[in-house]
Amino acid sequence: MFNRFSRRARISTAVLVALGASVASLAHAKDLTISAGIPKAHFWVGQHMDPFATAMEAATPLKFKRFYAGELVAVGRELDALKGGTIDVAAPLLAPYHEGRFALSDVTQLPTIGTNSVLVTKAFQKLMDSTVKIKGDKSFYQYEIADKGIHAWPLGSTAAYALSTTGKVLQSPADLKGLPLRAGSALHTIVLQQLGATPVTMPASQAYEALSRGTVNGLVLSVGDWKSYSFQDLLKYTVTGVALGHWESYLATTDAVWKDLSADERKSWDRIARETALKNAEGIDKQDVEVRQASEKAGGQFVSIDALSPEMRAHIAKASANTWIQWIEQTEKKGHPGKATAKLWASLVQGEGGKVPEGVAEYLK
């Protein structure tokens, strides 16, 4: 009798465990709202948001309700939407459009030499993983991300930002003086000012009309990104060989969403986010080449900085170095650890095989 009772007890326990596991699975088999403020054609959506969500759905019980092109949340409103519960995941959270709220994330937009998307993505992941203290007892991630009540991972970085015009040839510093050029962030404003141009700040999504009407005569943007905004027919002249920075941003969710995930779901999320970013970066580098080749076939002109006059080369080099200095000093004045962040970033970029403009290393010492 005891054995029969014991056997029944074991069976009942097994059933309860199975039911518990089923309930736990159902608890996590819920929809998470994931949103992009930019169109599906953009490489941060079609090549990052969608692959990430699809891979997560295959690896976990999680499901994602997907929204594109700002139909739910506009560019620059992602952080508020996350914290307000409108969305569960921002893909991407475009940090530079959140004025004053991500003071250090612009560091990837500092000019570099010999860098591409894969290199910068690897360096940025290491920056986010770094335990180096940049202010008090806080690392970059703790200072820039964790304090905002969110969890974040890097996207695939853009390819190198280039200086492009609708046709104006840039042969000397005088050709840049007062030239209205679109800037997408505060740091782009700095580099254009240092070059002597007149920055006109606007999102890339608004630049097509401005370029068409002649409100601006060019912009700072990666060549591969032209495809997302149909700039191929408008931009005719581009200076290559110097990276006017790389734009990085985040895949982000809230602490509340993260805590609600199971340990296995978190592990899968972290792994898939990292893998997706690197695949995204590889695709971005490939797209950069493809868009340039298509532009060249259509008559677009790409001129290496090495082919410019010594005066122009020196002008761009000085502007690049001064951009680092001005960004660091402005960031420090606002109470943020600009120099410590820039020093760490420079070391990580160099560790991946990139270079910083002449004079930057000396200043950072």
Side-chain angles (χ1 to χ4, degrees), residues 79 82-84 88 93 101-102 141-152 252-259:
L79 182 60
L82 281 171
K83 300 185 82 169
D88 299 304
L93 187 158
R101 302 178 80 175
F102 291 89
Y141 189 92
Q142 291 166 331
Y143 190 95
E144 191 76 342
I145 303 299
D147 280 359
K148 295 176 177 63
I150 61 175
H151 279 70
T253 191
T254 63
D255 286 348
V257 170
W258 187 249
K259 289 175 183 177

Side-chain angles (χ1 to χ4, degrees), residues 50-197:
D50 279 337
F52 168 77
T54 299
M56 281 295 295
E57 288 174 341
T60 72
L62 298 172
K63 302 297 178 184
F64 291 84
K65 294 174 65 177
R66 309 178 194 194
F67 294 87
Y68 306 97
E71 60 184 340
L72 190 60
V73 177
V75 167
R77 303 298 299 172
E78 300 96 351
L79 182 60
D80 290 337
L82 281 171
K83 300 185 82 169
T86 304
I87 60 175
D88 299 304
V89 189
L93 187 158
L94 296 168
Y97 288 127
H98 292 68
E99 187 173 354
R101 302 178 80 175
F102 291 89
L104 305 177
S105 295
D106 280 358
V107 70
T108 65
Q109 295 179 28
L110 293 169
T112 51
I113 300 166
T115 51
N116 59 22
S117 178
V118 170
L119 185 156
V120 170
T121 301
K122 289 179 178 179
F124 195 56
Q125 183 65 74
K126 289 181 178 179
L127 178 66
M128 294 181 73
D129 289 339
S130 175
T131 58
V132 173
K133 306 304 181 185
I134 58 170
K135 187 170 185 178
D137 62 349
K138 292 183 179 179
S139 66
F140 174 86
Y141 189 92
Q142 291 166 331
Y143 190 95
E144 191 76 342
I145 303 299
D147 280 359
K148 295 176 177 63
I150 61 175
H151 279 70
W153 296 259
L155 307 175
S157 160
T158 67
Y161 266 52
L163 181 62
S164 304
T165 74
T166 51
K168 185 175 179 61
V169 175
L170 306 175
Q171 295 180 324
S172 72
D175 294 324
L176 282 163
K177 189 173 182 180
L179 188 68
L181 298 172
R182 174 263 175 183
S185 69
L187 215 152
H188 290 157
T189 297
I190 294 174
V191 72
L192 289 176
Q193 288 173 337
Q194 289 291 340
L195 287 168

Side-chain angles (χ1 to χ4, degrees), residues 137-362:
D137 62 349
K138 292 183 179 179
S139 66
F140 174 86
Y141 189 92
Q142 291 166 331
Y143 190 95
E144 191 76 342
I145 303 299
D147 280 359
K148 295 176 177 63
I150 61 175
H151 279 70
W153 296 259
L155 307 175
S157 160
T158 67
Y161 266 52
L163 181 62
S164 304
T165 74
T166 51
K168 185 175 179 61
V169 175
L170 306 175
Q171 295 180 324
S172 72
D175 294 324
L176 282 163
K177 189 173 182 180
L179 188 68
L181 298 172
R182 174 263 175 183
S185 69
L187 215 152
H188 290 157
T189 297
I190 294 174
V191 72
L192 289 176
Q193 288 173 337
Q194 289 291 340
L195 287 168
T198 298
V200 181
T201 304
M202 67 179 72
S205 58
Q206 298 175 13
Y208 187 93
E209 184 176 356
L211 289 165
S212 299
R213 293 185 174 185
T215 306
V216 296
N217 296 129
L219 46 67
V220 176
L221 191 69
S222 69
V223 174
D225 218 357
W226 295 0
K227 185 178 179 180
S228 302
Y229 307 103
S230 303
F231 292 156
Q232 302 95 309
D233 296 331
L234 297 177
L235 299 171
K236 302 297 184 183
Y237 180 93
T238 300
V239 176
T240 66
V242 59
L244 298 180
H246 295 254
W247 191 300
E248 258 289 13
S249 281
Y250 305 105
L251 167 73
T253 191
T254 63
D255 286 348
V257 170
W258 187 249
K259 289 175 183 177
D260 194 43
L261 301 179
S262 69
D264 285 344
E265 287 166 349
R266 292 179 197 169
K267 185 177 180 180
S268 294
W269 186 305
D270 183 70
R271 173 182 59 80
I272 291 170
R274 291 167 184 265
E275 291 173 353
T276 304
L278 283 175
K279 289 178 182 177
N280 188 206
E282 292 169 359
I284 288 170
D285 280 334
K286 181 180 179 182
Q287 183 169 314
D288 206 64
V289 173
E290 291 173 346
V291 174
R292 172 174 174 166
Q293 290 175 342
S295 178
E296 287 176 325
K297 287 181 180 179
Q301 187 178 6
F302 293 79
V303 180
S304 170
I305 189 172
D306 295 330
L308 299 177
S309 68
E311 180 188 19
M312 188 63 159
R313 292 200 302 271
H315 179 67
I316 293 174
K318 183 178 180 181
S320 296
N322 285 345
T323 296
W324 280 72
I325 296 169
Q326 185 176 339
W327 179 80
I328 289 168
E329 293 182 351
Q330 285 184 0
T331 304
E332 291 280 344
K333 284 181 181 178
K334 293 176 182 178
H336 304 295
K339 192 166 188 178
T341 302
K343 186 174 182 178
L344 178 57
W345 177 243
S347 69
L348 293 171
V349 167
Q350 291 170 322
E352 293 296 327
K355 298 179 181 179
V356 297
E358 185 176 353
V360 169
E362 289 75 11

